[in-house]
């Protein structure tokens, strides 16, 4: 920590993560400082010549409005981009919570950056402190504004950290039937489909009730509901993979049993031949 001349700290580099300052908060902080209340140091990045304010804009302007010439800083070495990225980080945030508009603006700026724009939705979401669905929704709105077609593939990471890709264009659509079931099976199939639909609807209603009872903002509820839907789809796909693996395992086990029986039979035949 070190005290730095306020006039030496730059605030014009786009490091302000919020869309605007809350001047009422600046006044409140300034009054508290006059009363002797201690505030955490602001965070600045030093690129060798300039100090870029990365965190603590309300504290900075409150200190400045009180006529102070210096402010206590947590100084980090790095470029202007490093300062901006730190300002966007959920871990680097203190004090006031960001609004949805603030978060959306940050996501857009990251998506439009030549380096950060190549990050996955999950990486951006983790850095900003939002859900994957929020990043996906912002990206989709940008693509729509720019006339880009909606993506047909989506990447996600499994519990082992491995990245996989799934087709999204057919999610929620009924798969084409390879062959029509026999006429006598129609009623059973219809009843099975009806029970499956009722079960899915029941699960959906339970999710909606759970989200509705959560004490959160509407945006957070939307994110939660979409995240639940995304996770259920992943579970469905994993269950399909798991079923296929079990079937493969059973097939290999049967083949192994047949081979063992065949080997034993050959061994018995060989003993008989030797006995003769």
């Amino acid at each position: 920590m070190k005290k730095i001349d306020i006039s030496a700290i730059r605030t014009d580099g786009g490091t302000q993560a919020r869309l605007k300052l809350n001047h009422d908060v600046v006044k409140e902080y300034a009054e508290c400082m006059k009363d002797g209340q201690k505030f955490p140091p602001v965070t600045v990045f030093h690129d060798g010549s300039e100090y870029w304010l990365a965190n603590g804009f309300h504290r900075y302007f409150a200190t400045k409005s009180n006529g102070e010439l210096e402010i206590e800083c947590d100084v980090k070495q790095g470029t202007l981009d490093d300062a901006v990225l730190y300002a966007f980080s959920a871990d680097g945030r203190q004090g006031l919570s960001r609004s949805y508009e603030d978060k959306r603006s940050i996501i857009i700026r990251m998506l439009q950056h030549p380096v950060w724009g190549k990050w996955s939705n999950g990486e951006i979401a983790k850095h900003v402190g939002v859900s994957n669905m929020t990043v996906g929704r912002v990206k989709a709105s940008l693509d729509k504004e720019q006339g880009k077609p909606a993506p047909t593939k989506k990447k996600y990471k499994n519990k082992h950290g491995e990245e996989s890709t799934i087709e999204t264009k057919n999610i929620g659509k009924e798969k084409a039937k390879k062959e029509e079931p026999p006429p006598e099976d129609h009623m059973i199939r219809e009843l099975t489909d009806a029970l499956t639909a009722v079960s899915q609807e029941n699960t959906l209603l339970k999710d909606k009730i759970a989200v509705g009872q959560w004490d959160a903002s509407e945006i957070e509820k939307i994110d939660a509901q979409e995240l639940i839907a995304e996770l259920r789809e992943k579970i469905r796909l994993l269950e399909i993979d798991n079923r296929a693996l079990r079937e493969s395992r059973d097939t290999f086990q049967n083949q192994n049993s047949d081979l063992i029986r065949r080997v034993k039979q050959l061994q018995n035949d060989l003993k008989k031949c030797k006995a003769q």
Side-chain angles (χ1 to χ4, degrees):
M1 305 294 173
K2 63 181 289 189
K3 284 200 171 184
I4 297 176
D5 189 336
I6 282 185
S7 62
I9 299 174
R10 296 189 60 174
T11 62
D12 59 343
T15 56
Q16 167 64 290
R18 293 184 178 85
L19 290 171
K20 59 182 179 180
L21 284 176
N22 186 325
H23 294 287
D24 291 335
V25 171
V26 172
K27 291 179 182 178
E28 181 184 344
Y29 283 6
E31 291 299 321
C32 292
M33 289 174 181
K34 288 179 183 177
D35 292 339
Q37 185 173 334
K38 295 294 183 181
F39 283 76
V42 299
T43 303
V44 298
F45 276 71
H46 188 231
D47 63 4
S49 60
E50 305 286 354
Y51 289 98
W52 301 100
L53 183 60
N55 182 264
F57 277 78
H58 289 90
R59 283 168 278 155
Y60 169 86
F61 282 103
T63 304
K64 190 174 184 179
S65 69
N66 283 340
E68 299 290 337
L69 299 180
E70 293 181 328
I71 186 170
E72 190 170 7
C73 300
D74 175 13
V75 182
K76 299 180 182 294
Q77 300 299 317
T79 64
L80 175 57
D81 261 7
D82 292 330
V84 173
L85 191 61
Y86 180 87
F88 289 170
S89 169
D91 294 335
R93 188 172 69 247
Q94 293 180 2
L96 294 175
S97 59
R98 294 169 180 162
S99 67
Y100 173 74
E101 289 74 19
D102 290 334
K103 294 174 183 176
R104 186 177 189 279
S105 174
I106 291 170
I107 294 169
I108 290 174
R109 289 177 64 182
M110 291 194 70
L111 290 172
Q112 293 176 340
H113 192 274
V115 176
W116 313 327
K118 297 176 183 178
W119 290 10
S120 68
N121 287 7
E123 289 170 325
I124 294 175
K126 183 178 180 181
H127 187 78
V128 180
V130 298
S131 72
N132 292 14
M133 296 301 296
T134 297
V135 178
R137 188 164 58 246
V138 173
K139 183 182 287 187
S141 69
L142 283 180
D143 290 344
K144 187 176 181 181
E145 290 171 6
Q146 297 169 4
K148 294 181 181 179
T152 59
K153 293 184 178 181
K154 186 172 184 178
K155 292 183 178 180
Y156 70 94
K157 290 184 179 179
N158 60 23
K159 64 181 181 180
H160 303 297
E162 299 168 342
E163 195 172 80
S164 301
T165 303
I166 60 172
E167 290 285 346
T168 58
K169 62 181 179 179
N170 293 322
I171 290 179
K173 297 181 180 179
E174 186 180 0
K175 293 183 179 179
K177 300 180 181 64
K178 292 183 178 180
E179 57 182 21
E180 192 68 23
E184 60 272 14
D185 289 344
H186 274 300
M187 184 173 293
I188 295 175
R189 185 179 182 85
E190 287 175 3
L191 288 171
T192 302
D193 290 344
L195 286 171
T196 301
V198 169
S199 176
Q200 291 174 345
E201 183 65 21
N202 186 44
T203 300
L204 182 60
L205 287 172
K206 285 181 179 178
D207 292 341
K208 287 183 177 180
I209 290 171
V211 172
Q213 291 177 340
W214 181 31
D215 183 18
S217 67
E218 289 302 315
I219 293 298
E220 288 173 324
K221 288 181 180 180
I222 291 171
D223 287 344
Q225 198 162 330
E226 291 180 343
L227 181 59
I228 289 170
E230 180 185 22
L231 290 174
R232 288 200 183 280
E233 178 61 22
K234 289 180 182 178
I235 290 171
R236 186 185 71 81
L237 294 173
L238 289 172
E239 285 176 343
I240 292 173
D241 291 341
N242 191 37
R243 207 158 42 237
L245 287 171
R246 284 201 304 268
E247 290 174 357
S248 297
R249 179 204 62 192
D250 293 342
T251 300
F252 284 127
Q253 285 179 339
N254 291 334
Q255 289 176 347
N256 187 50
S257 297
D258 290 340
L259 287 172
I260 290 173
R261 284 195 296 270
R262 181 60 179 161
V263 168
K264 286 183 177 179
Q265 183 180 351
L266 290 172
Q267 287 174 338
N268 290 333
D269 292 343
L270 181 61
K271 287 180 180 179
K272 291 178 181 178
C273 289
K274 287 182 177 179
Q276 293 176 357

